[in-house]
Amino acid sequence: MFGGFILLKICFSLCCSKVTDNAKNSLASLKRKNPRLEPTLAIIQAHNDQLIQEANKNLAKEIGLRVIHICLPEGSTKDEIVSEILRLNDDPNVQGLALDLPESLYSSKVLNAVKPEKDVDGLSSVNLGRLVHGDVCDCLVPPTVCAVMELLEDIGGKKVLLVGTHGAEGAALQSVLQRRGAAVLSCHWGAPQLQSELHHADAVVFGSMKPHGVPVSCTKPGATIINCARGPLPEKHSYGQQNNPADEKTVGSLAVAMRMQNMVKNMERWIQSQQYRKWDLHSLKLQPLSPVPSDIEISRAQSPKAVDVLAKEIGLLTDEIEIYGQTKAKVRLSLLERLRDQPDGKYVLVAGITPTPLGEGKSTVTVGLVQALTAHLNINSFACLRQPSQGPTFGVKGGAAGGGYAQVIPMEEFNLHLTGDIHAITAANNLLAAAIDARILHENTQSDKSLYNRLVPVVNGVRGFSAIQLARLRRLGINKTDPKTLTEEEISKFVRLDIDPSTITWQRVVDTNDRFLRRITVGQANTEKGFVRQAQFDIAVASEIMAILALTTSLQDMKERLGRMVVANDKKGQPVTAEDLGVTGALAVLLKDAIKPTLMQTLEGTPVFVHAGPFANIAHGNSSVLADKIALKLVGEKGFVVTEAGFGADIGMEKFFNIKCRASGLVPSVVVLVATVRALKMHGGGPNVTAGAPLKKEYTEENLQLVADGCCNLQKQIQITQLFGVPVVVALNVFKTDSPAEIDLVCKIAKESGAFDAVPCHHWSAGGKGAVKLAQAVEKAANQKNSFKYLYSLELPIVEKIRIIAQKVYGAQDIELSPAAQSQVDRYTQQGFGNLPICMAKTHLSLSHQPERKGVPTGFILPISDVRASIGAGFIYPLVGTMSTMPGLPTRPCFYDIDLDPITEQVKGLF
């Protein structure tokens, strides 16, 4: 008798060892292939049994798993447990979640709170449904059920009695037993037929502890008895014949081993889920109308996909998106880490010739190109666009969602607020502006001691430095951490920034064209104690913070850039930064959501990232590095990411290459240069083009001579592109007034001037179908030899870098710096900022500094009126001639046509 019992214990131990060894070996193999893998299982426990905790901990350690025990007090409510589950669901460092709870807490509410992908116990409805339906490959068998099946011998055709098994675990056990061919009967403890069924069953499984007072007679001789009661590790109980205890088995330790094995299986599934996923994108059909309706009518006629559907189609995971309504979502930066080993796709830049004030359709070409690539050629592609400012939307230019049958939808949401990024930038920018003036006021009105007591206050009887204050102390060379140990001299150095008000370069911003804020006076209230100074507002998208958002590569990089922003000089001529003001962390908090790109879609259901929107003639005029990097991973090695640079190639493209590509490390594959017959006629000597005014007949009737003369600007922009060693494809954005002869002439001249190809594009009227030839040309050009190079070395002096851009790109004879500009250059060089790239602030309406000079001006001297620095963004920006950082409203702004229907809540009047 005792020999049989010992044999059973040996077999049980061997079974546990086998499961443990298998899990250990499997996990070791996973770790070899994924060296940075740190699998973590979180277990929520709501009882005081240390045996279960020790069993989990010991087995996990043996296998190589990390276990976190969350020990809730006995008596915890379901809501408290669910709250803890939800917290762990959102923890990216936890890949598995298990529950050790009293039986009364295993409700559907609790079990289904666990994310299915983290459900190691396999008791959520999603997992259980797959198990019951036979989808064994897509589910995990609950550990207790695994243990029961391991302990049962061949049960095909045998009768198995389940006593006290219920809920999710009981359903899973019954399903698995039946699939193995057993005849399964279930009884509760109080069933009148219990004793009879016990006598006839070949195997009995007790799912819960026998209640007191329930008599149990002898089981069938030789029957297998398995006890898998929940709660503390079950002790040995004798439900059958006293002389046959060897047939009784408990699942305790084996169930724990099975749980660990499930965790390893979960890790295998988790690793698989992190791999790059092939796209399964379903395009939306277009039915273009003629004549082409308004942009907003076209947008509303299309029903966009739900954004979570789009996200799934392009391989995003559920926890990688944050949904804003039905049609837009933020994408988390964690995706870059998940796909870090995934090769990038091809990188395409859309630039243009020098435009008319109406714009020549770069955004429209960008959208039409990706619609053609993905919806018509079945090539993965992503458009990366800037977020439009409220300034042009309500001013003269209108929105920037593309146009006709090549636009981003819903265009109202694209053009209005989107996900609030510009508002976040406005809030951050103005917080810093307020901090500057407040600091000057407090330093002017308080002693060193008073400043110190307020800057480093006593809290709960203790005075301590914050992290950002400790960093300032280190920059000052004060290596102390105890506020009581600073000398009077050190206190004075610490508390006084000594900002020189005349050197403040940081301005307040608002995202509205408001010309009367171009010059203001601040500090006129009596409460400001006479501290009055001249200041100004810029438009929000001209803020350095917008440029930082566009150029940053990570949250940490953004914080460092924000801290480096120079806002003024002190009275000794040294730079004062946002970090000195102690505001860096607060700025980062305001921008924590804005740093994530926004996912939208085109009219044909292809993906678009909308992110950042720095002005092109003031800042560098490109969408974000992060959007491009994420998109390049998502499209795959053979896919395309198409992004756009503002205005002509002389401004947006030059800055894209020399500034953005330096920040990102990305190498462009192709440049698409957008031209229109209309703009070429203007450069050929046609009459002025004015927004809002009808076009003169020269632009609506065939005139080959004007086109030929104007192609000089196209040729110059092709030459500028060739300076960087990148193949260029000319996209002729065709208008209905363009004649076939004019179209042919432009394409002929473009190819003769060095373009890889030149293609007429009809995407505005036909959608992606009208840009298929362009897409094919871009695909071919991307396979050409690429000898990309920067225009200048960063080590060159600031003035020399400006001269290279002026002469090689704009065609200037030379440059001329004003005394103020030269003084600033000298100061920035002395301060150690001379090795930054250059971001020219210049009119977009001419290659020169004079908007009225069209074509290809030559022989001019480029005047540099001032030189400023965006140290956080990482560039020096010279102002060419007179450049306004705050646009004004025209006589008749776009807002005259914009309205809201109070019944349908639809926006009217947007382009």
Side-chain angles (χ1 to χ4, degrees):
M1 177 179 69
F2 291 109
F5 181 65
I6 292 169
L7 181 61
L8 178 64
K9 288 192 72 174
I10 292 171
C11 291
F12 184 81
S13 178
L14 287 172
C15 190
C16 279
S17 296
K18 177 185 173 185
V19 173
T20 303
D21 288 344
N22 286 341
K24 182 179 180 180
N25 293 335
S26 296
L27 186 60
S29 176
L30 289 177
K31 286 184 173 181
R32 281 194 296 273
K33 296 175 184 175
N34 304 273
R36 287 183 281 186
L37 187 66
E38 292 184 19
T40 301
L41 170 64
I43 302 175
I44 299 176
Q45 183 174 319
H47 54 70
N48 294 325
D49 181 10
Q50 298 300 313
L51 289 175
I52 290 182
Q53 189 168 331
E54 284 302 313
N56 280 305
K57 189 184 297 183
N58 293 337
L59 272 173
K61 183 178 181 181
E62 185 177 348
I63 290 169
L65 292 167
R66 177 171 173 253
V67 168
I68 303 172
H69 267 93
I70 293 89
C71 297
L72 301 179
E74 284 194 80
S76 295
T77 66
K78 292 178 183 178
D79 286 339
E80 289 169 338
I81 292 166
V82 167
S83 177
E84 195 63 32
I85 290 171
L86 295 178
R87 183 184 70 81
L88 292 167
N89 280 344
D90 292 334
D91 187 342
N93 297 314
V94 171
Q95 292 84 32
L97 181 53
L99 306 175
D100 280 335
L101 308 173
E103 197 167 325
S104 60
L105 293 177
Y106 280 93
S107 67
S108 175
K109 177 181 179 180
V110 171
L111 295 176
N112 287 319
V114 180
K115 270 187 178 180
E117 57 266 33
K118 293 191 177 186
D119 180 20
V120 171
D121 287 339
L123 296 176
S124 66
S125 294
V126 171
N127 188 81
L128 190 61
R130 291 171 179 160
L131 180 65
V132 171
H133 283 92
D135 299 330
V136 181
C137 294
D138 293 328
C139 69
L140 292 176
V141 179
T144 301
V145 177
C146 286
V148 169
M149 300 310 296
E150 191 75 25
L151 293 173
L152 286 173
E153 298 174 2
D154 181 24
I155 56 169
K158 293 183 179 179
K159 184 176 181 179
V160 179
L161 177 65
L162 307 181
V163 183
T165 61
H166 48 78
E169 202 164 72
L173 181 56
Q174 187 163 341
S175 174
V176 173
L177 285 167
Q178 287 174 338
R179 195 170 295 119
R180 291 279 189 92
V184 183
L185 182 66
S186 182
C187 275
H188 56 82
W189 283 106
Q193 73 274 25
L194 174 60
Q195 294 190 33
S196 172
E197 295 298 342
L198 282 168
H199 187 68
H200 293 95
D202 299 307
V204 181
V205 179
F206 295 110
S208 57
M209 300 300 294
K210 180 180 77 69
H212 293 297
V214 177
V216 180
S217 62
C218 296
T219 56
K220 179 179 178 180
T224 302
I225 302 172
I226 298 177
N227 176 17
C228 51
R230 230 176 241 296
L233 283 175
E235 300 296 330
K236 190 169 168 49
H237 290 273
S238 182
Y239 296 104
Q241 299 176 15
Q242 295 302 311
N243 63 352
N244 193 21
D247 287 332
E248 181 188 340
K249 306 169 185 178
T250 59
V251 300
S253 299
L254 183 56
V256 174
M258 291 295 185
R259 170 182 276 175
M260 299 305 158
Q261 180 173 268
N262 269 3
M263 177 61 188
V264 175
K265 290 179 181 176
N266 214 42
M267 287 309 303
E268 291 172 347
R269 290 162 57 180
W270 181 82
I271 290 169
Q272 185 62 34
S273 75
Q274 301 300 298
Q275 302 304 310
Y276 176 79
R277 297 183 179 186
K278 185 178 179 181
W279 283 22
D280 184 25
L281 191 135
H282 300 276
S283 301
L284 301 176
K285 299 300 180 185
L286 278 184
Q287 294 182 325
L289 300 176
S290 182
V292 176
S294 70
D295 290 353
I296 200 163
E297 287 176 309
I298 293 171
S299 174
R300 290 213 179 113
Q302 185 65 288
S303 296
K305 292 178 279 192
V307 72
D308 58 331
V309 173
L310 173 64
K312 185 176 180 181
E313 289 179 344
I314 61 174
L316 287 163
L317 305 182
T318 304
D319 61 359
E320 288 175 339
I321 61 169
E322 298 168 2
I323 295 176
Y324 285 64
Q326 294 295 312
T327 55
K328 53 188 186 289
K330 287 285 190 183
V331 175
R332 293 177 177 167
L333 307 188
S334 58
L335 182 146
L336 283 172
E337 173 63 19
R338 175 170 71 86
L339 297 182
R340 63 183 180 275
D341 298 325
Q342 169 68 22
D344 288 346
K346 301 289 176 56
Y347 197 29
V348 179
L349 175 69
V350 176
I353 64 169
T354 304
T356 69
L358 305 178
E360 309 317 305
K362 288 192 308 300
S363 299
T364 311
V365 169
T366 300
V367 175
L369 175 55
V370 294
Q371 287 180 177
L373 283 165
T374 301
H376 298 273
L377 298 180
N378 200 30
I379 298 170
N380 292 355
S381 73
F382 235 108
C384 291
L385 299 175
R386 288 178 293 168
Q387 179 184 350
S389 165
Q390 183 178 299
T393 298
F394 289 99
V396 65
K397 188 174 182 290
Y405 287 100
Q407 57 175 303
V408 180
I409 57 171
M411 65 96 77
E412 306 99 306
E413 295 187 27
F414 180 94
N415 285 313
L416 301 172
H417 303 295
L418 200 62
T419 49
D421 294 357
I422 293 179
H423 301 311
I425 288 165
T426 301
N429 184 100
N430 293 344
L431 175 63
L432 179 53
I436 296 166
D437 287 324
R439 186 59 176 263
I440 294 173
L441 171 70
H442 295 313
E443 288 189 24
N444 285 345
T445 56
Q446 296 178 51
S447 66
D448 289 351
K449 182 178 179 181
S450 179
L451 280 169
Y452 192 64
N453 288 339
R454 286 175 167 84
L455 286 170
V456 193
V458 176
V459 179
N460 296 325
V462 179
R463 192 188 299 275
F465 294 117
S466 67
I468 201 165
Q469 289 176 326
L470 288 170
R472 172 164 166 74
L473 286 169
R474 288 193 294 271
R475 288 197 303 279
L476 293 171
I478 303 171
N479 297 313
K480 296 179 180 179
T481 58
D482 185 351
K484 296 192 295 291
T485 61
L486 266 65
T487 65
E488 287 187 4
E489 182 183 357
E490 289 170 339
I491 287 174
S492 182
K493 285 177 65 178
F494 172 72
V495 300
R496 295 207 174 272
L497 299 181
D498 276 334
I499 295 171
D500 180 353
S502 68
T503 66
I504 295 173
T505 55
W506 195 261
Q507 310 297 348
R508 289 164 172 83
V509 299
V510 63
D511 194 35
T512 303
N513 290 355
D514 192 343
R515 65 175 67 244
F516 285 91
L517 293 177
R518 289 172 177 170
R519 181 67 60 195
I520 62 170
T521 303
V522 297
Q524 294 194 52
N526 292 334
T527 52
E528 312 323 311
K529 306 182 187 304
F531 173 55
V532 179
R533 69 179 183 90
Q534 293 290 307
Q536 69 183 62
F537 271 80
D538 295 336
I539 194 161
V541 290
S543 169
E544 182 178 353
I545 295 178
M546 174 61 89
I548 286 174
L549 184 70
L551 291 171
T552 193
T553 55
S554 68
L555 193 54
Q556 181 61 37
D557 178 58
M558 183 179 75
K559 285 186 66 177
E560 292 170 2
R561 287 174 178 272
L562 291 170
R564 290 198 301 266
M565 292 187 301
V566 174
V567 300
N569 292 328
D570 64 19
K571 291 171 183 174
K572 295 178 180 177
Q574 294 306 304
V576 178
T577 66
E579 187 82 358
D580 291 324
L581 285 156
V583 74
T584 309
L587 300 182
V589 167
L590 287 171
L591 298 168
K592 69 180 180 64
D593 293 319
I595 195 174
K596 303 164 191 169
T598 300
L599 176 65
M600 294 187 75
Q601 63 194 282
T602 69
L603 277 166
E604 297 191 56
T606 65
V608 178
F609 273 143
V610 186
H611 200 215
F615 261 23
N617 54 357
I618 297 170
H620 68 287
N622 293 276
S623 63
S624 78
V625 166
L626 281 170
D628 292 355
K629 280 180 170 284
I630 292 172
L632 284 164
K633 294 297 182 187
L634 286 171
V635 296
E637 193 170 7
K638 295 182 179 179
F640 285 80
V641 170
V642 184
T643 190
E644 171 198 351
F647 297 133
D650 57 305
I651 299 183
M653 185 195 72
E654 181 270 314
K655 295 173 183 176
F656 176 90
F657 289 147
N658 285 318
I659 299 173
K660 185 177 179 181
C661 288
R662 277 189 163 105
S664 68
L666 300 173
V667 176
S669 307
V670 184
V671 169
V672 173
L673 194 66
V674 179
T676 62
V677 168
R678 176 180 68 194
L680 293 172
K681 286 180 175 180
M682 178 189 72
H683 289 297
N688 287 338
V689 176
T690 305
L695 288 170
K696 300 289 192 339
K697 65 180 179 64
E698 286 86 349
Y699 297 104
T700 58
E701 298 175 0
E702 183 179 288
N703 190 322
L704 295 177
Q705 189 59 52
L706 273 182
V707 173
D709 291 345
C711 277
C712 61
N713 188 271
L714 173 61
Q715 291 170 310
K716 173 63 176 175
Q717 302 287 11
I718 292 172
Q719 291 167 11
I720 293 170
T721 307
Q722 291 171 331
L723 289 174
F724 297 92
V726 183
V728 56
V729 173
V730 171
L732 182 63
N733 189 14
V734 175
F735 295 171
K736 61 183 179 181
T737 53
D738 300 343
S739 74
E742 290 172 331
I743 294 169
D744 291 343
L745 177 60
V746 174
C747 292
K748 176 175 177 290
I749 292 174
K751 285 186 271 192
E752 289 173 350
S753 302
F756 175 81
D757 204 348
V759 183
C761 302
H762 302 271
H763 46 276
W764 182 82
S765 58
K769 184 178 179 181
V772 167
K773 289 184 179 179
L774 173 63
Q776 291 169 333
V778 167
E779 188 181 13
K780 290 177 184 176
N783 292 321
Q784 299 300 301
K785 182 182 178 182
N786 189 324
S787 53
F788 173 69
K789 57 185 178 293
Y790 298 116
L791 186 63
Y792 52 78
S793 166
L794 293 180
E795 283 68 39
L796 290 173
I798 292 174
V799 172
E800 186 58 29
K801 286 181 282 194
I802 297 172
R803 182 174 284 110
I804 288 172
I805 295 171
Q807 292 178 334
K808 291 191 175 181
V809 177
Y810 306 153
Q813 181 179 325
D814 204 352
I815 60 173
E816 183 178 68
L817 273 70
S818 70
Q822 185 62 59
S823 175
Q824 286 291 72
V825 168
D826 294 342
R827 183 183 300 276
Y828 293 141
T829 303
Q830 180 267 325
Q831 291 176 341
F833 303 140
N835 287 346
L836 293 176
I838 304 299
C839 182
M840 301 288 279
K842 180 185 81 74
T843 179
H844 60 286
L845 295 173
S846 171
L847 283 163
S848 74
H849 59 288
Q850 298 167 301
E852 67 277 6
R853 296 189 68 176
K854 307 300 181 183
V856 182
T858 57
F860 60 93
I861 304 296
L862 192 75
I864 309 300
S865 59
D866 198 3
V867 177
R868 299 176 186 170
S870 292
I871 304 304
F875 53 71
I876 302 291
Y877 66 102
L879 273 64
V880 179
T882 303
M883 280 298 302
S884 174
T885 51
M886 169 56 80
L889 289 172
T891 305
R892 192 188 188 283
C894 293
F895 62 64
Y896 273 82
D897 302 310
I898 297 172
D899 199 2
L900 182 70
D901 188 314
I903 307 300
T904 64
E905 298 186 11
Q906 285 192 333
V907 176
K908 299 178 179 179
L910 283 176
F911 282 25

